[in-house]
Amino acid sequence: MPALDPAFLAVQALSGLSSASSLFITACGLTIVFGVTRIVNFAHGSLYMIGAYTAATLVPRLLELSFGPVTFWAGILISAIIVGLIGVIIEVLLLRRIYGAPELFQLLATFGVVLVVQDLVVQVFGPQDILGPRAPGLRAPVEILGRRFPSYELVLIAAGPIVLGLVWLLLRKTRFGVLVRAATQDRDMVASLGVNQALLFTGTLFLGAFLAGLGGALQIPRVSANTGMDLSIIAEAFVVTVVGGMGSVPGAFLAALIIGQLQAFGILIFPKSTLVVVFLLMAVVLAIRPYGFFGRAEIGGGTHAVGIASRSPLPGRGLILLIVIAVLAAFPLVADAYLLKVATEILIFALFAFSLQLLIGVGGIVSFGHAAFFGLGAYGAALAVKWYGVSMEAALPLGLALAALGAGLAGAFVVRLSGIYLAMMTLAAAQILYAVAFQWVEVTGGDNGIVGVWPSSWASGPIPYYLLTAALTLITVLLLKRIIDAPFGYALRAARDSEARAEAIGLKVRQHRWLAFMIAGAAAGLAGGIYAFSRGSVDPSLLGISTSVDALTMLLLGGIQTVVGPLVGAAALHGLRDWIMPLTSLWRLLLGLSIIAMVLIFPRGLVGTVRDWWGARA
């Protein structure tokens, strides 16, 4: 068998080292940026993509002037420097204005940057993939134990340790490096010592963007520059950063080495493991070492959340509730079938976002993988219909139960963590379930999903199904609000604000968080089940990262401190998509700019900012 051939194993190991080296260079920048600024920078993958496109365009033109290795590598470095300067521009124009905002809003802003960059890259470089030139002097393969191996891959293997050594020297032997390491440990203390944080953050963003651009530029002899590069690299870069320990460059290097070898040999042992092996590694490491290989607990706790108000500041809440019920009930009288479909989806995703509100706004539990429970609810209901032929009335509770069970299993590990490590563990759970749904074709239908999931006859029309969705959403939100205002909700707030003090007064913090995780998962599962019957089908995209990002976006746009925020956020996001997408092919650009504008203008969300403005006037 080829797998037992020593030459084959050696070549496969070298391929893993090459991939690990490339991944480390990109992830190293993300590690340094997060360590200093605490920004979960989703746009890091966009900088990687810009580096690849810039190098694939610039290097061939330089080689026309002077062909040789020096010109090629100079083009690679120039491309990385250009990306570094773009990182500075992003920091000065956007990130510097929101450093004081809740960290989740910073995440939302960088997601807006991702959308903007995707369209700008197409406009600047064109829609076609661009294959860069092969490195001069490294075109012929080398023989290793009788097998051919690309010589450029050997250069990439050496590039990782070289970058590691240079970054180590920078961090250990320069004043800037000392400040970076100090800010990684305690940036508030660095600020109190009089260090110019704005300048420090700008320098850090340049370094991080330079490394992302370098990682992308080095890929041009291997793969073509394409518009999918940003999302394909960012997930793995986050895994490397978290597994190694946030802010730890040596940890990132070790994590990249392990991931590279797992990807090289895992596909031989478990051919269907390609989508899940990276996230399985992260889940196992965080379960054993909650802060990664060389990470440390975050100083000050860092919940990454903003607390929801315990009670509405507006008088006449009962009257407001009656008005909301009346508006929802009367909407079918003025809406056509299309508007009813849109309103149904808005209500479903409002419920989905509100379930996340319980975790983030009340419990300080940030979930990057809440789509796991939305998808479990959808698949649970769909499988009940497909395999057992049950009606919608029985399938919805079954989907809810499956989501609650999945949330309970994931929550048992999640509640042991905190901050970004907790968030990434939820992402790992969602990606593992996504891989199962995508590759377990016999049960889930694979990427084709499950079709024929239709509601009962009495609810099959647009108006009955809208009214059913409105009733279930309203009842569930009121139940969740009751839980938020109950002693259980106050216990979650106490643990969110100070876990040490909450435990000191006898609260069982982990038990409360675990129960909150199950409740939120059940509510998300109900939303997923309703969504499955509204579409008539389910597919793995319901478990994907984009679905989790949608929930976060709706919650943050509406206002994480408010009860009606998720409904407003769901309506705003759907409105942006329905109005912008049909108007232009540049809908990602306009949607991204809209999200960035909302973050800058409404730093507490639409409802939260209006409420604060109203309170200030009053």
Side-chain angles (χ1 to χ4, degrees):
M1 293 176 60
L4 300 179
D5 181 6
F8 174 82
L9 295 177
V11 169
Q12 201 72 5
L14 289 175
S15 298
L17 288 176
S18 175
S19 299
S21 184
S22 301
L23 181 57
F24 163 72
I25 293 172
T26 304
C28 179
L30 183 64
T31 296
I32 294 172
V33 169
F34 180 88
V36 175
T37 66
R38 294 300 188 271
I39 288 180
V40 183
N41 185 14
F42 261 89
H44 197 74
S46 300
L47 297 171
Y48 169 88
M49 179 175 66
I50 294 174
Y53 269 99
T54 304
T57 305
L58 176 64
V59 172
R61 297 183 179 180
L62 294 178
L63 290 176
E64 290 176 359
L65 301 176
S66 174
F67 186 82
V70 174
T71 303
F72 176 86
W73 296 110
I76 296 293
L77 289 177
I78 292 172
S79 300
I81 292 172
I82 292 173
V83 177
L85 295 176
I86 293 175
V88 170
I89 293 173
I90 294 174
E91 194 275 338
V92 172
L93 295 181
L94 175 61
L95 299 181
R96 185 175 293 183
R97 302 173 186 272
I98 58 174
Y99 279 132
E103 293 170 4
L104 282 172
F105 284 91
Q106 299 168 352
L107 179 146
L108 182 60
T110 61
F111 176 68
V113 173
V114 171
L115 296 176
V116 170
V117 170
Q118 284 180 340
D119 269 353
L120 288 180
V121 163
V122 173
Q123 294 302 309
V124 174
F125 298 102
Q128 293 82 16
D129 295 355
I130 303 177
L131 182 62
R134 304 179 73 175
L138 298 172
R139 296 182 176 182
V142 297
E143 283 201 6
I144 299 177
L145 299 179
R147 286 181 175 265
R148 289 188 168 190
F149 188 76
S151 54
Y152 185 75
E153 300 289 317
L154 295 176
V155 175
L156 286 182
I157 292 174
I162 290 173
V163 170
L164 174 63
L166 292 175
V167 171
W168 184 88
L169 289 174
L170 177 67
L171 296 180
R172 295 286 175 177
K173 303 299 182 180
T174 66
R175 183 176 184 273
F176 173 75
V178 171
L179 294 178
V180 168
R181 289 190 292 118
T184 300
Q185 299 299 319
D186 192 343
R187 64 174 181 174
D188 293 331
M189 180 62 71
V190 172
S192 66
L193 293 176
V195 175
N196 187 335
Q197 277 200 317
L199 187 60
L200 176 62
F201 287 2
T202 301
T204 302
L205 259 295
F206 173 81
L207 177 60
F210 172 84
L211 290 172
L214 179 62
L218 288 172
Q219 301 306 306
I220 61 169
R222 319 170 67 202
V223 296
S224 59
N226 61 84
T227 54
M229 298 180 73
D230 53 350
L231 298 181
S232 64
I233 192 65
I234 190 62
E236 291 186 357
F238 270 126
V239 171
V240 168
T241 302
V242 171
V243 170
M246 302 300 290
S248 172
V249 175
F253 185 74
L254 176 60
L257 287 178
I258 295 174
I259 289 173
Q261 296 305 313
L262 281 177
Q263 290 177 329
F265 290 100
I267 192 174
L268 300 177
I269 303 173
F270 302 106
K272 292 188 176 182
S273 68
T274 52
L275 294 176
V276 73
V277 63
V278 172
F279 292 96
L280 274 176
L281 171 67
M282 181 169 68
V284 171
V285 170
L286 291 183
I288 299 172
R289 297 185 63 86
Y291 303 110
F293 290 144
F294 303 118
R296 299 182 181 180
E298 296 181 41
I299 296 176
T303 64
H304 302 258
V306 180
I308 184 175
S310 59
R311 294 191 183 276
S312 172
L314 297 174
R317 288 179 296 163
L319 178 61
I320 293 175
L321 177 59
L322 290 176
I323 293 174
V324 170
I325 294 175
V327 170
L328 291 176
F331 187 72
L333 299 177
V334 297
D336 57 17
Y338 172 74
L339 286 178
L340 284 174
K341 178 177 174 58
V342 172
T344 300
E345 289 196 0
I346 289 175
L347 288 170
I348 292 171
F349 280 97
L351 175 57
F352 179 35
F354 197 87
S355 67
L356 189 59
Q357 175 85 293
L358 175 65
L359 291 181
I360 298 179
V362 181
I365 305 170
V366 179
S367 174
F368 286 174
H370 206 56
F373 316 119
F374 183 81
L376 278 177
Y379 268 100
L383 289 172
V385 172
K386 177 182 178 181
W387 292 105
Y388 301 106
V390 302
S391 63
M392 178 188 70
E393 294 84 349
L396 284 177
L398 289 174
L400 183 151
L402 180 61
L405 177 61
L409 293 175
F413 297 96
V414 167
V415 297
R416 298 176 59 250
L417 308 173
S418 64
I420 189 63
Y421 298 99
L422 184 154
M424 293 303 293
M425 179 65 99
T426 63
L427 176 61
Q431 287 301 103
I432 290 170
L433 288 173
Y434 172 83
V436 172
F438 190 83
Q439 295 183 325
W440 198 6
V441 179
E442 297 80 5
V443 175
T444 65
D447 57 346
N448 293 321
I450 301 173
V451 297
V453 186
W454 300 113
S456 300
S457 58
W458 63 268
S460 59
I463 294 177
Y465 201 80
Y466 162 80
L467 293 175
L468 173 65
T469 302
L472 291 176
T473 299
L474 187 61
I475 292 171
T476 307
V477 167
L478 291 176
L479 286 175
L480 290 175
K481 183 64 170 65
R482 188 68 179 266
I483 292 172
I484 290 171
D485 289 336
F488 176 77
Y490 284 100
L492 288 176
R493 291 184 185 89
R496 175 199 68 199
D497 296 336
S498 178
E499 183 175 345
R501 291 182 180 180
E503 291 179 340
I505 62 175
L507 292 178
K508 297 180 179 179
V509 172
R510 289 187 180 178
Q511 182 176 329
H512 279 75
R513 288 178 172 170
W514 178 74
L515 185 57
F517 215 81
M518 286 191 64
I519 294 172
L526 176 60
I530 300 172
Y531 188 64
F533 283 104
S534 72
R535 290 180 56 191
S537 63
V538 298
D539 59 74
S541 66
L542 300 182
L543 295 152
I545 295 176
S546 60
T547 305
S548 295
V549 172
D550 281 348
L552 281 170
T553 303
M554 289 182 286
L555 180 58
L556 297 177
L557 283 179
I560 200 171
Q561 309 94 336
T562 63
V563 175
V564 298
L567 177 61
V568 174
L573 185 60
H574 273 74
L576 287 172
R577 286 176 172 170
D578 290 341
W579 295 333
I580 291 176
M581 289 179 62
L583 295 178
T584 174
S585 60
L586 300 178
W587 64 268
R588 291 184 184 86
L589 174 65
L590 296 180
L591 179 60
L593 290 175
S594 300
I595 291 175
I596 293 171
M598 285 187 180
V599 170
L600 295 175
I601 300 172
F602 303 101
R604 293 186 175 274
L606 296 171
V607 177
T609 302
V610 171
R611 186 190 64 181
D612 291 348
W613 173 78
W614 183 269
R617 289 199 56 172

